[in-house]
Amino acid sequence: MAELMGGMRWTLRIAGILGILLIAYGIWPVVGFYRIASAVEARDAAALGKRVDFRALRKSLVKQIVSTYLELTGKEKKFGLLGKTIAIGLGTSYADPIVARLINEETLIDLLSKGRTGDGGGGRMSPELAPFSKSALKSGWTTWLHSEYRGEDYFVYLPPDKPADKQFRVKLSLSQWQWKLAGIDLPKPLRVQLAQELAEQREREKD
């Protein structure tokens, strides 16, 4: 009987430890997210830079802008699915100047907190739609409800109280035991503005 009770205690201890580990794993990316949010709110470019995977973020934004550009100009139909993939790769150099303006540490703070894409840029949204504005993050509970795990990535949909077509999908990925900002899916209106800027840039290059 004593052996049985001892075995049950060990089983309960192991179950308790596993439960704690699962809770910790669930909270871990949330803590990483709020560290990013704190750096944005404080306009601390150095702290934000440590929590951003710039290579992955650049790739994410270039793909979105070039893909939207192909749709706007009607070139998507011309290339087809396989051709579109190749065209996005070739179009990276054209979108680079726009993306470079978006993701240096200072202008990234403006994009996240104010919905602006840098001085002189074509992309701009209402500040209340910015993903890391005070109004977007006013409720931690609502923010958590609009987040999800997908494999090794953690996504947050911001602002949580806005329609899907006006939300940013913020992606965090685990890198060297730290959750980092690795992607931002832009809302369609902002993608269109930036794609139009790319189209205007390409026209100027032809002249």
Side-chain angles (χ1 to χ4, degrees):
M1 185 68 176
E3 291 181 1
L4 179 61
M5 293 298 293
M8 289 180 63
R9 281 196 294 269
W10 274 108
T11 301
L12 290 173
R13 286 174 185 173
I14 293 171
I17 292 170
L18 290 174
I20 291 170
L21 289 174
L22 285 172
I23 292 171
Y25 181 74
I27 293 174
W28 190 13
V30 178
V31 173
F33 171 79
Y34 276 100
R35 284 177 177 168
I36 293 170
S38 296
V40 172
E41 183 179 11
R43 300 193 66 81
D44 188 336
L48 179 63
K50 293 176 182 178
R51 293 175 171 83
V52 177
D53 183 339
F54 284 100
R55 183 174 178 273
L57 181 57
R58 172 185 167 276
K59 184 177 180 180
S60 165
L61 292 171
V62 164
K63 182 177 180 180
Q64 292 174 68
I65 294 170
V66 176
S67 180
T68 305
Y69 164 78
L70 293 174
E71 292 174 12
L72 287 177
T73 57
K75 294 180 179 179
E76 181 183 35
K77 295 179 181 178
K78 175 183 175 182
F79 287 115
L81 183 60
L82 178 60
K84 180 181 176 182
T85 302
I86 296 172
I88 289 174
L90 294 175
T92 296
S93 61
Y94 299 126
D96 269 342
I98 296 173
V99 172
R101 190 187 71 237
L102 286 175
I103 64 170
N104 73 66
E105 292 166 359
E106 292 291 344
T107 54
L108 181 57
I109 288 176
D110 281 339
L111 172 64
L112 297 176
S113 64
K114 300 178 181 178
R116 294 198 317 227
T117 60
D119 294 337
R124 184 180 292 268
M125 297 187 72
S126 169
E128 69 175 13
L129 296 176
F132 285 82
S133 65
K134 289 184 179 180
S135 61
L137 300 176
K138 61 185 177 182
S139 170
W141 176 250
T142 304
T143 301
W144 181 77
L145 287 175
H146 287 78
S147 65
E148 63 178 348
Y149 273 106
R150 286 192 184 180
E152 298 179 353
D153 299 319
Y154 178 70
F155 296 91
V156 187
Y157 297 81
L158 300 167
D161 59 344
K162 300 300 180 185
D165 64 340
K166 293 184 178 179
Q167 286 181 326
F168 291 76
R169 188 176 76 155
V170 176
K171 174 185 175 183
L172 274 65
S173 295
L174 193 59
S175 175
Q176 298 179 340
W177 296 100
Q178 185 177 31
W179 288 94
K180 292 188 175 183
L181 177 63
I184 304 173
D185 285 359
L186 304 173
K188 185 175 181 179
L190 186 54
R191 279 191 286 112
V192 169
Q193 290 179 47
L194 294 170
Q196 288 173 338
E197 184 181 342
L198 176 57
E200 292 169 3
Q201 174 185 299
R202 297 288 295 129
E203 286 300 318
R204 288 194 298 270
E205 290 171 357
K206 291 178 182 178
D207 295 338

